[in-house]
Amino acid sequence: GKRVLHKIVTSDPTLNISVIDLPEGLTWNAKRRVVEGTAPEAEGDYHYNIVSTEGKEPQVLGKATLTVKKNLPLAKPMMGWISWNVVQDKISTQVVKTVADNMVKLGLRDAGYNFIIIDDLWHAPQRNSDGTPKEDPAKFPIGMGATVKYVHDQGLKFGIYSDAAPKTCAGAYGSYGYENIDAKQYAKWGVDLLKYDYCGAPGDAVSAQQRYKAMGDALKASGRDILFYMCEWGVREPWKWGSTTGATTWRATYDTRDCWQGKSGGIGVTQSIAAMKDLWAYSGVNRFNDADMMCVGIHGKGKSSSALCATGPGMTQDEYRTQFALWCMWSSPLTLSFDLTKPLSADDKAIITNADLIAIDQDAMGQQAEFVGQEGNIYYFMKDLENGDVAISATKVGSTQQQVKFDFSKFSALNIKGRYLARDCQAQKTLENEVETGFTTTVRSHATAVFRLTLKGTGIAQARTSASAQSNTLYDLSGRHANGAASHGVYIRDGKRVALP
């Protein structure tokens, strides 16, 4: 019953294509080259064919499968905190408890951040005598199971880390050859997610697929639903095969660093843009490209996150806002990595709890923003949203402030003849005047402007809510706050209260 959007991309953009044998509720939009419509109500696999119309008879180029399920493992990108950038080998039960408490106290859980993921070096020096994995008793004196239970008691989920080789990246024991044993122990502990690295493993793609599938199969047989987060850094193009292993998200880059510009393999924000901008055709619901944990809030005080930086370490607030905004546009997992055992500034909190941007990341259609193009030092992206809205963004990578023109004719999802309400997602306010054909805004150096556009007269406007949909606020179609008592799930259309369909 949800909206479907499947963009068809051909290596030859001039190739004439069409789609046939579509399930009921879906249609082919030849102008945009997308399959769109509403998913069937009944669960199951539905198939259709992509064909070339160059010759007299259509030639099948590929077959597509639409899987309809009520409970997909990862319908939306995960949100949470990962320990590595600031904690590294100091991970412990006490750190986990403090982070869990602060995620609740600071409102991060209510904003949607519900995973605590411990990274490398949680391990004892060696496994138990029966081969099962063992936590370091000095770091986890109450045991891993009790540590996980504490996280669950706070309404949060727990993630753990391993590697598809005999040793992890930091030298602890890995899971190669122990996949089933480890998966069953993770299930016994109550683990909800496994981050699976690839240090010390063979470099070819076939071996990577085999090793990841071995763990994916083991997790499925573990007796517990455990999300599989594949971390092979994008080297072997996991966006093309990751879903065949049982993974629902995969790293698309090397480790992100706490800087605008990295060096010698370090991934700063500019390298993230280069790596992610052309992967939008390989992402969607239950199969997300991960741009790695964000560095918002670290301010140069991390450990590994400070390495391989050409600028910094540390970034300006505009640069951190850009990182957060782009991750949301890309439907990347939103994973924090600053020190959550210490106080959080009001401005940092405002960046990571921006409900307008989180709603774009957590949109039910799961689209990764399409790269529209580059004009000088400006990168433009466009993201279709489930309720029919469109998010557009402009990132200024140059060193000076610039007037930026959003020309609607360059954004294929927009109606060039339409009138739109435009919400500035960074400022979290709606522009007073409707916009037509385009509009201009000022973008500071290394900043990113994001606007959510609602076509005038299309029905109920999108409410500004948190990712967990806890807002009780009313909005009218202009996006302005509606006066009066609020009632959850009620909105204003044509001056009247109506229930959200």
Side-chain angles (χ1 to χ4, degrees):
K2 289 190 178 293
R3 185 184 174 204
V4 172
L5 189 71
H6 178 196
K7 298 179 180 178
I8 309 297
V9 183
T10 55
S11 53
D12 176 3
T14 66
L15 185 67
N16 294 318
I17 62 168
S18 184
V19 174
I20 59 175
D21 305 321
L22 282 167
E24 186 177 353
L26 300 183
T27 60
W28 170 241
N29 182 331
K31 181 178 180 181
R32 291 196 65 195
R33 294 162 79 99
V34 301
V35 173
E36 59 185 354
T38 303
E41 292 290 342
E43 291 188 291
D45 288 338
Y46 298 83
H47 308 280
Y48 48 92
N49 291 304
I50 303 157
V51 299
S52 167
T53 56
E54 294 284 354
K56 292 183 179 179
E57 297 293 331
Q59 179 183 355
V60 176
L61 299 175
K63 297 178 182 293
T65 300
L66 171 67
T67 300
V68 178
K69 290 182 70 175
K70 287 186 168 110
N71 296 302
L72 288 166
L74 195 64
K76 298 177 181 180
M78 65 188 181
M79 297 173 64
W81 177 87
I82 301 182
S83 63
W84 186 252
N85 275 343
V86 297
V87 178
Q88 288 190 205
D89 61 314
K90 306 302 181 187
I91 190 62
S92 67
T93 291
Q94 188 54 54
V95 168
V96 170
K97 284 185 172 183
T98 303
V99 169
D101 292 344
N102 285 338
M103 286 179 75
V104 175
K105 290 177 185 176
L106 293 168
L108 299 184
R109 180 191 63 185
D110 292 339
Y113 297 95
N114 62 348
F115 272 98
I116 292 179
I117 304 168
I118 62 171
D119 212 288
D120 210 341
L121 299 178
W122 56 265
H123 318 67
Q126 59 189 21
R127 293 172 174 272
N128 290 311
S129 58
D130 62 357
T132 55
K134 181 181 180 181
E135 66 277 68
D136 186 325
K139 296 177 180 178
F140 297 88
I142 66 172
M144 192 62 76
T147 302
V148 174
K149 183 179 184 303
Y150 187 90
V151 171
H152 287 167
D153 288 346
Q154 313 314 310
L156 299 166
K157 297 180 180 181
F158 188 90
I160 205 165
Y161 168 96
S162 192
D163 191 287
K167 297 287 186 181
T168 68
C169 294
Y173 55 80
S175 291
Y176 181 62
Y178 290 84
E179 291 88 354
N180 287 304
I181 292 173
D182 288 2
K184 287 178 181 177
Q185 185 61 56
Y186 300 153
K188 186 176 180 180
W189 281 335
V191 167
D192 303 294
L193 175 147
L194 172 65
K195 176 182 175 181
Y196 206 44
D197 224 329
Y198 203 69
C199 289
D204 63 290
V206 172
S207 294
Q209 292 173 44
Q210 292 171 342
R211 293 193 178 206
Y212 275 108
K213 191 174 188 304
M215 179 53 85
D217 289 345
L219 293 175
K220 287 179 184 176
S222 71
R224 181 176 176 83
D225 291 333
I226 301 176
L227 286 175
F228 191 24
Y229 169 26
M230 212 169 73
C231 183
E232 65 83 74
W233 329 304
V235 177
R236 287 152 285 268
E237 299 183 318
W239 43 86
K240 294 182 178 179
W241 51 266
S243 63
T244 65
T245 70
T248 53
T249 188
W250 36 82
R251 276 275 296 281
T253 75
Y254 284 113
D255 293 0
T256 297
R257 310 292 175 166
D258 185 18
C259 51
W260 180 253
Q261 180 80 36
K263 66 178 181 181
S264 304
I267 306 297
V269 173
T270 57
Q271 284 89 1
S272 294
I273 295 172
M276 293 290 290
K277 67 182 180 65
D278 296 319
L279 300 184
W280 53 271
Y282 298 97
S283 183
V285 171
N286 207 52
R287 45 182 304 146
F288 297 103
N289 294 318
D290 174 41
D292 197 16
M293 51 193 132
M294 298 176 291
C295 295
V296 180
I298 296 181
H299 299 293
K301 297 178 181 178
K303 295 182 179 181
S304 62
S305 58
S306 294
L308 302 180
C309 286
T311 59
M315 289 190 266
T316 68
Q317 293 300 81
D318 271 342
E319 289 168 346
Y320 284 133
R321 289 186 190 96
T322 283
Q323 185 178 63
F324 190 78
L326 289 176
W327 265 233
C328 291
M329 289 292 289
W330 294 333
S331 288
S332 174
L334 298 182
T335 44
L336 310 169
S337 65
F338 61 88
D339 192 345
L340 251 173
T341 68
K342 294 181 176 154
L344 175 66
S345 75
D347 198 31
D348 286 342
K349 181 180 177 182
I351 294 174
I352 63 175
T353 59
N354 182 318
D356 286 59
L357 292 175
I358 290 175
I360 289 173
D361 179 81
Q362 296 288 291
D363 186 75
M365 205 155 59
Q367 296 284 302
Q368 179 174 328
E370 183 175 340
F371 176 52
V372 174
Q374 179 182 359
E375 293 181 354
N377 288 321
I378 301 290
Y379 287 83
Y380 292 97
F381 290 93
M382 171 189 75
K383 182 171 182 174
D384 291 271
L385 302 173
E386 197 265 345
N387 75 332
D389 288 357
V390 179
I392 57 177
S393 70
T395 300
K396 178 68 195 303
V397 299
S399 58
T400 58
Q401 179 173 288
Q402 184 175 332
Q403 286 285 106
V404 172
K405 170 77 177 207
F406 285 108
D407 181 351
F408 288 0
S409 67
K410 296 180 179 179
F411 296 86
S412 62
L414 297 178
N415 181 347
I416 190 64
K417 298 180 180 179
R419 292 183 295 119
Y420 286 88
L421 304 168
R423 184 166 180 82
D424 183 337
C425 295
Q426 293 283 23
Q428 295 188 274
K429 65 179 182 180
T430 303
L431 302 187
E432 291 185 6
N433 299 320
E434 296 168 9
V435 293
E436 298 179 76
T437 69
F439 62 99
T440 301
T441 191
T442 300
V443 182
R444 296 186 298 273
S445 169
H446 297 183
T448 295
V450 183
F451 289 87
R452 182 172 186 141
L453 302 181
T454 302
L455 187 62
K456 185 70 173 176
T458 55
I460 296 174
Q462 176 73 13
R464 178 166 58 94
T465 65
S466 70
S468 54
Q470 295 300 311
S471 174
N472 289 329
T473 308
L474 293 173
Y475 287 84
D476 65 10
L477 278 177
S478 69
R480 293 188 298 271
H481 183 256
N483 294 324
S487 176
H488 181 63
V490 176
Y491 295 80
I492 297 238
R493 179 171 61 189
D494 300 328
K496 299 177 182 179
R497 287 172 175 251
V498 293
L500 185 65

